[in-house]
Amino acid sequence: MRSKIVAGNWKMNNNSKETKTLVKGIRKSIKKLPLENTRVLVAPTFVNLMSAIKRIKKSKVEVVAQNMHQENNGAFTGEVSADMLKSIGVKSVIIGHSERRSLFGETDEVLALKVTKAINEGLEVIFCFGEQLEDRKSNNHFTVVKNQLEKGLFHIEANAWSQIVLAYEPVWAIGTGETASPEQAQEMHAFIRNLLQEKYHTSVADNTSILYGGSVKPSNAEEIFSKQDVDGGLIGGASLNVKDFTDIIKAI
Ligand code: PEP
């Protein structure tokens, strides 16, 4: 059975003290929630991963990284490897966030290498993808998403899919306050699940969690999460506030 997941992407926010406060707040506020089959993930910046990990011990919160490099080690100034993440207890990594693609030039080809590396290192991958506004306006959103999955992810063997979580994030909805309607999200998630069935197997399609991301907030979370193929959310802005993030977790 696939898990429900609420993941907070903290991006380049929170210094050391703020990270500690936020982790502590979330940990406390979800302590008594009945989180059956539901995972809560937070993704601090690299420098704050270790202190966050220390503070989630014996709690239901998991700490994930926002990115990693595809090589083992070497002359890659400013980068962090899978082995480094694993060595401090990180078990999951976000790959392909739209900001990595658009602001840092990460191509489908580079993302495919990162995915392979993470899988081979035993990390779980939260793979992000989604169309631009003009793709949707020109009715190309299904083609764009299919291409991103084919190029970045579909080289993975069926048995590695237990290490993959998908996050459909229409770029026009990220950080804009504009959200895909629950129907638009469901339509795309069903399309993606169907692709998994065609390319792999019913078991891969049924067991892969597909998250929606793009301006999810307490006021719209319940309606989006109520859709059959939406298994949770990747949350940016609203994950920086304990109450908002907790309310979104409650919505699931
Ligand atoms: C994100 O960064 O993945 C995201 C979905 O951000 P926001 O919730 O702020 O739109």
Side-chain angles (χ1 to χ4, degrees), residues 68-72 79-82 110 113-115 117:
M68 55 158 254
H69 196 269
Q70 64 273 22
E71 296 293 338
N72 285 332
E79 293 292 331
V80 169
S81 71
V110 166
L113 296 174
K114 291 190 179 205
V115 167
K117 184 67 188 166

Side-chain angles (χ1 to χ4, degrees), residues 14 19 27 36-38 42 55 70 91 115 127 130 142 158 164 176 189-190 207 226 232 244 247-248:
N14 298 325
T19 300
R27 185 190 163 140
E36 273 160 50
N37 193 37
T38 301
V42 296
R55 277 164 184 84
Q70 64 273 22
K91 296 192 170 61
V115 167
F127 188 78
F142 293 116
I164 303 278
T176 58
H189 285 221
N207 292 322
S226 71
D244 286 354
D247 285 347
I248 291 170

Side-chain angles (χ1 to χ4, degrees), residues 42-230:
V42 296
T45 56
F46 286 134
V47 288
N48 290 315
L49 282 171
M50 201 130 130
S51 89
I53 286 170
K54 274 191 201 150
R55 277 164 184 84
I56 51 128
K57 294 230 166 85
K58 293 199 190 121
S59 84
K60 293 168 188 160
V61 185
E62 298 169 50
V63 170
V64 316
Q66 296 177 16
N67 184 28
M68 55 158 254
H69 196 269
Q70 64 273 22
E71 296 293 338
N72 285 332
N73 59 276
F76 302 102
T77 302
E79 293 292 331
V80 169
S81 71
D83 180 56
M84 291 168 192
L85 295 176
K86 287 196 315 181
S87 71
I88 60 162
V90 172
K91 296 192 170 61
S92 312
V93 59
I94 297 172
I95 290 180
H97 190 277
S98 75
E99 287 146 22
R100 297 298 318 169
R101 293 174 187 260
S102 66
L103 302 175
F104 301 97
E106 294 194 2
T107 60
D108 291 318
E109 292 68 30
V110 166
L111 297 175
L113 296 174
K114 291 190 179 205
V115 167
T116 302
K117 184 67 188 166
I119 295 292
N120 290 343
E121 292 286 334
L123 289 167
E124 175 185 62
V125 171
I126 299 156
F127 188 78
C128 304
F129 54 95
E131 82 281 1
Q132 304 277 345
L133 185 58
E134 50 275 28
D135 301 323
R136 185 160 278 268
K137 280 190 177 155
S138 57
N139 212 23
N140 277 326
H141 44 299
F142 293 116
T143 312
V144 167
V145 161
K146 187 172 180 216
N147 257 326
Q148 288 173 329
L149 290 173
E150 278 176 349
K151 289 186 179 158
L153 207 53
F154 282 0
H155 60 291
I156 290 300
E157 300 287 330
N159 62 8
W161 273 79
S162 56
Q163 286 170 253
I164 303 278
V165 170
L166 298 180
Y168 166 60
E169 300 203 296
V171 178
W172 48 272
I174 298 178
T176 58
E178 192 163 338
T179 321
S181 69
E183 291 70 31
Q184 285 173 321
Q186 168 57 27
E187 187 186 32
M188 183 58 88
H189 285 221
F191 171 77
I192 295 160
R193 215 175 288 289
N194 197 44
L195 279 182
L196 296 184
Q197 169 148 19
E198 276 172 22
K199 169 77 189 170
Y200 292 95
H201 194 265
T202 314
S203 64
V204 171
D206 286 349
N207 292 322
T208 301
S209 301
I210 309 178
L211 316 184
Y212 167 79
S215 299
V216 175
K217 36 190 183 270
S219 57
N220 60 22
E222 196 170 336
E223 219 192 332
I224 295 172
F225 294 165
S226 71
K227 293 296 175 190
Q228 189 185 337
D229 289 296
V230 179

Side-chain angles (χ1 to χ4, degrees), residues 217-218 235 237-249:
K217 36 190 183 270
I235 322 294
S239 69
L240 297 169
N241 176 286
V242 175
K243 182 167 182 331
D244 286 354
F245 193 51
T246 308
D247 285 347
I248 291 170
I249 296 164

